[in-house]
Amino acid sequence: MSEPDGEYAASALRPYVITKGRSRPSRNTIGVETLLIAVDPPRDVPVSATREERALVRMCERLLSLVEAAAHLELPVSLVKVLASDLVDSGHLSARSGVPQAVLPDSQLLQEVLDGLRRLR
Amino acid sequence: MVSVGSADRYLPDTVQQAVKILVVGAFGVGKTTLVGSVSEIAPLRTEEVMTEASVGVDDLAGMSTKTTTTVAMDFGRITLNSWLVLYLFGTPGQRRFWDLWDGLAEGALGVLVTVDTRRLEDSFDVLEQLELRGLPFAVAVNQFPDSEEYGVEELRTALDLLPETPVVMCDARERAASVDALISLVEYVSNVGTVRVRETAS
Ligand SMILES: Nc1nc2c(ncn2[C@@H]2O[C@H](COP(=O)(O)OP(=O)(O)OP(=O)(O)O)[C@@H](O)[C@H]2O)c(=O)[nH]1
Ligand SMILES: [Mg+2]
């Protein structure tokens, strides 16, 4: 395991304080696997931003999934979903692949997954 | 498996799309081992806070009593090609964690169910839940030194699986075996998709 970057291991209550009482993200297309990256050129976060929001923007200086950012920051995934969603809305982060809206993944995509897995054998 | 420092934790900038597969199973069946054997990063662990309404608490004030449980979930990553990355999530199969699946399973390619033949009955609930939720799954059977030897068909019957559900023997500690189990799942999902398309077309 790599060294944790989060100096704050969140308690059960803190997430709801950090997100100002909301437990659901503003957009429902954000999933654990959504790829996040800070916008380029970077935009300064407002002075009112929480340190968790700042830390998330910093973590996403290059491409990373939401769940990886959460793990490195030692923050609960549900909290990071809310923060990421807000930071995408405010134009600080861009989200590259959200939860697919189609019921079934398309066959082209599945084929690419299969090809990739077969190369690992 | 190489431990990654913060310098190479990131994905290549060319990656455009992420997909995911859930690895679900009862306690101690080898979920973390399977994820770790195929992951290109040291498996990471994250906590999800789950809020549950307390059962059997009669609250006269009319306020619902909630308890929060922290669920540990570990995951790994495989960069499949320059634009596509696969995430694998090891998720506990016990009933009290099912709510966690809802968010996690949304948009997932499918589920790999890990099964320990010494405790087949531990998997019944999980399999039933997946069927109810309509999530496509394959079964990876992990064998332990003291496991009895079963044939695939015997296990299919014991687990009451559909004839088309893939059942693969898998040593989760072996990368090749874990990759093969994932391949069986994705092949199955591809076929399910084809069948459904044909049905709607006719
Ligand atoms: N022989 C054998 N041992 C295995 C296999 N898979 C896992 N193990 C061992 O079984 C033990 C439990 O494996 P884990 O991967 O921690 O299981 P888990 O499902 O993540 O467990 P929990 O997260 O605690 O529910 C470890 O000691 C593994 O080395 C397998 O396929 N064959
Ligand atoms: Mg585990």
Side-chain angles (χ1 to χ4, degrees), chain A residues 93-110:
Chain A
L93 290 183
S94 79
R96 220 170 252 190
S97 94
V99 175
Q101 298 301 302
V103 182
L104 279 171
D106 65 88
S107 58
Q108 172 77 43
L109 181 61
L110 288 168

Side-chain angles (χ1 to χ4, degrees), chain A residues 51-72:
Chain A
R51 62 181 173 150
E52 286 80 6
E53 286 173 314
R54 287 170 202 283
L56 181 59
V57 172
R58 224 179 306 124
M59 180 59 64
C60 298
E61 58 177 354
R62 283 168 56 208
L63 193 64
L64 205 63
S65 66
L66 186 142
V67 71
E68 285 171 288
H72 291 310

Side-chain angles (χ1 to χ4, degrees), chain B residues 26-33 45 72-74 90-92:
Chain B
F27 178 72
V29 296
K31 302 178 292 291
T32 304
T33 306
R45 172 164 272 253
M73 171 173 82
D74 37 36
T91 327

